[in-house]
Amino acid sequence: MSSTTSFTDPGSASARRASESPGVRSTRFGGLDGLRAIAVGLVLVYHFFPAVLPGGFLGVDIFFVISGFLIASLLLRERQRHGRIDLVSFWRRRARRLLPALVLVLLVCTGVALLIARSGDADLLVNIGQQVFGALAFVSNWVFVALGGDYFTRDNPELYRNTWSLSIEEQFYVVLPLLMLFTMRAHSRITRSLLFILLAIGSAALMVLYAAQGEAPTRVYFGSDSHVFGLFAGVSLAVLLQPIDARRRPVPGPLSTGSQVALAAVAALGLGVLGWLSFTLVEGSPESFAWGFQLASAAALLVVWAVTRPGAWAGRALDAAPLRWIGERSYGIYLWHWPLLLLLPTLLGSGATPDPSAGGVLVALTGIALSVAIAAFSHRFVEQPVRRHGLRGTLRRFSRAWRAGSGRRVLAAAVSLGLIAGAGATTVAIAVAPARSSAAEAIARGEAAMLAAHQGELEAAARERGVAGTLDGLDGSVEPDDGPPLANGAAARPALPRGSTSSPSGTR
């Protein structure tokens, strides 16, 4: 979801020179931006129109396969070019890619949720401190497991629930380069890929095992151990396809017509399986955990292999301008769509779940449009500057804007005030967040009222039997008061729970 399709800026001079130089292999994989556009489209339709595409959640698994393939390819090519993998530089690049857009989402959406809470609806602030921490530390998936969150429910959902997949990817990014340093010692691609193939199979098997043992769907779906097989499958494909020494391998010639048709057929097969699963697989069902997610990852792997072959027609088809544009902004679209889905119903005064009513459709269409528009703005003015110039370089350019013309100074001032306001609002939101949602509070009050009423009934029944005292509403026993003996002179005995019997020895 967060990886890039090309390893250099496609618009940079170096990228243009590389693509124009004879005998130089292109660093860009065709078709993957379009595939990411399809993946994010599946997720958006699933969340905004769940009845239309019940299995659209599989879009996340497509992202996993793409990310594993791209990141592994990047690391392999870095080692081939420089003879080593710079771990610090790799992790810095990941932070530059992921954090700017994420921080913007957290500041803006938490501030809006605080404004909504001031109007009386504070449900979206429940556990907001844990959610923000989980998102920034990339451990959201485990935070939601601990909180008991469920990806497949829509009652009182967490504002940043969608960051669970981002956390799994970032945890994967920490481990992957270390594993690749270990496997690089092997001298064949099959040997190098063996560890990642075994990890992919093991993770898929864990998902099946956990589900069969009755583990909560949240634990099975959010677990970094049981839902990382798509990422490792993508790595396995990249390792198998990347030659040990690309410099000694000639640039492949154009594909024959038969090869093009075969690749197109493989891509169509993979997309067809993904489409079938998206329309038929039921969320959180035993079938989804037993084979659904695994089959979707395998289908995505077929598509990735087919469309990334140099010169493949299938890759060119998925590189259509609209698909490529959306794919390049898919990370931001994914980040924004879920908080907007939860915030817009209150802001627009409509129902939370899209349905045939005009209000529900309004929420969905507005949410999708805003997700794309804000993601485009974030990509242009937040993500790309930090990615190209780094955080410090971006801040230096930002400070120069203060010294530039009046227009840039006003824009810089507005951005600064917005960041300060967002940080302040987030701090306040964490401080005033309620411990439980309004629904949970209502349930707790109802349970307390039922318990009090039940206790009153039992005490009344005890008084009718001539037993004075305070009755424990939990088990029906009475603690006798200090008072006169009963009419027959016997001491008061605790009332037994209904349906029980007693004997002189106290046995039942």
Side-chain angles (χ1 to χ4, degrees):
M1 204 174 318
S2 57
S3 42
T4 57
T5 305
S6 59
F7 304 138
T8 58
D9 178 13
S12 66
S14 61
R16 288 194 299 270
R17 286 193 299 270
S19 62
E20 294 167 0
S21 301
V24 175
R25 191 187 307 272
S26 173
T27 59
R28 185 181 181 277
F29 289 111
L32 291 189
D33 280 326
L35 186 57
R36 288 195 297 186
I38 293 173
V40 78
L42 292 177
V43 175
L44 261 64
V45 174
Y46 164 66
H47 282 148
F48 284 104
F49 299 99
V52 174
L53 207 63
F57 53 86
L58 294 173
V60 174
D61 293 86
I62 300 175
F63 277 125
F64 281 170
V65 173
I66 296 173
S67 296
F69 176 79
L70 285 174
I71 295 301
S73 299
L74 183 151
L75 292 171
L76 288 168
R77 291 183 177 181
E78 178 181 354
R79 187 177 185 277
Q80 287 179 348
R81 291 172 179 171
H82 305 293
R84 65 189 182 92
I85 295 176
D86 189 337
L87 296 178
V88 175
S89 177
F90 170 76
W91 289 324
R92 185 189 299 118
R93 291 194 303 269
R94 290 298 89 205
R96 286 180 181 178
R97 177 69 179 100
L98 300 176
L99 284 174
L102 176 62
V103 171
L104 182 63
V105 169
L106 295 177
L107 293 180
V108 172
C109 295
T110 305
V112 174
L114 179 63
L115 293 177
I116 292 176
R118 291 177 62 86
S119 67
D121 185 3
D123 283 354
L124 291 178
L125 294 183
V126 175
N127 298 320
I128 195 67
Q130 295 94 318
Q131 292 184 59
V132 171
F133 166 77
L136 292 176
F138 298 110
V139 291
S140 287
N141 58 321
W142 295 116
V143 169
F144 293 133
V145 169
L147 294 175
D150 189 348
Y151 181 76
F152 301 107
T153 61
R154 294 174 175 82
D155 52 331
N156 296 324
E158 298 89 351
L159 187 60
Y160 302 119
R161 179 185 291 176
N162 61 322
T163 60
W164 72 271
S165 59
L166 181 63
S167 296
I168 287 183
E169 284 196 22
E170 189 60 24
Q171 294 161 30
F172 169 78
Y173 295 153
V174 172
V175 174
L176 177 62
L178 301 176
L179 294 176
M180 295 200 73
L181 287 175
F182 171 74
T183 59
M184 290 297 177
R185 299 175 181 273
H187 298 291
S188 72
R189 286 181 285 179
I190 294 178
T191 306
R192 286 183 175 185
S193 65
L194 183 59
L195 173 62
F196 303 111
I197 294 174
L198 292 176
L199 288 172
I201 294 174
S203 176
L206 277 179
M207 174 174 279
V208 177
L209 178 63
Y210 288 162
Q213 291 178 341
E215 289 280 357
T218 299
R219 171 63 183 86
V220 181
Y221 190 70
F222 286 169
S224 302
D225 53 347
S226 54
H227 205 162
V228 76
F229 47 87
L231 288 159
F232 279 120
V235 174
S236 303
L237 179 62
V239 174
L240 287 170
L241 294 178
Q242 187 73 15
I244 298 296
D245 189 352
R247 293 169 296 184
R248 298 181 180 178
R249 182 179 180 182
V251 177
L255 295 170
S256 65
T257 302
S259 297
Q260 292 280 18
V261 172
L263 290 173
V266 171
L269 174 62
L271 291 173
V273 171
L274 290 170
W276 170 67
L277 290 172
S278 298
F279 279 104
T280 60
L281 198 63
V282 178
E283 56 184 16
S285 63
E287 294 80 12
S288 65
F289 295 125
W291 52 265
F293 291 109
Q294 296 85 342
L295 181 58
S297 297
L301 203 65
L302 283 179
V303 179
V304 169
W305 173 77
V307 302
T308 56
R309 298 310 85 215
W313 293 342
R316 294 176 189 174
L318 287 180
D319 270 338
L323 290 176
R324 185 171 177 180
W325 189 91
I326 294 173
E328 291 172 347
R329 293 152 183 81
S330 59
Y331 173 55
I333 294 172
Y334 178 83
L335 281 180
W336 283 99
H337 88 280
W338 179 261
L340 288 174
L341 172 64
L342 303 184
L343 294 170
L344 283 176
T346 301
L347 296 176
L348 298 178
S350 184
T353 302
D355 56 32
S357 69
V361 173
L362 176 64
V363 170
L365 297 181
T366 304
I368 293 173
L370 282 177
S371 298
V372 175
I374 300 175
F377 175 87
S378 173
H379 181 267
R380 171 67 179 83
F381 296 103
V382 178
E383 300 168 50
Q384 289 294 80
V386 174
R387 191 170 165 194
R388 290 173 180 170
H389 309 294
L391 180 59
R392 285 180 294 182
T394 302
L395 291 176
R396 284 194 297 267
R397 293 166 65 90
F398 186 75
S399 65
R400 286 198 295 268
W402 280 95
R403 300 189 294 270
S406 59
R408 290 189 176 184
R409 188 178 295 115
V410 170
L411 178 61
V415 172
S416 299
L417 290 175
L419 292 175
I420 294 172
T426 300
T427 303
V428 173
I430 292 173
V432 303
R436 293 187 293 188
S437 67
S438 58
E441 290 286 355
I443 292 173
R445 290 194 299 269
E447 291 177 345
M450 292 177 60
L451 181 60
H454 180 60
Q455 182 172 349
E457 293 174 356
L458 292 177
E459 288 179 351
R463 284 193 296 270
E464 290 179 0
R465 294 197 301 270
V467 180
T470 302
L471 187 143
D472 185 353
L474 295 177
D475 61 7
S477 62
V478 176
E479 298 178 359
D481 292 335
D482 293 334
L486 300 180
N488 61 1
R493 293 170 54 192
L496 295 171
R498 183 175 298 177
S500 63
T501 57
S502 64
S503 64
S505 62
T507 60
R508 294 186 62 197

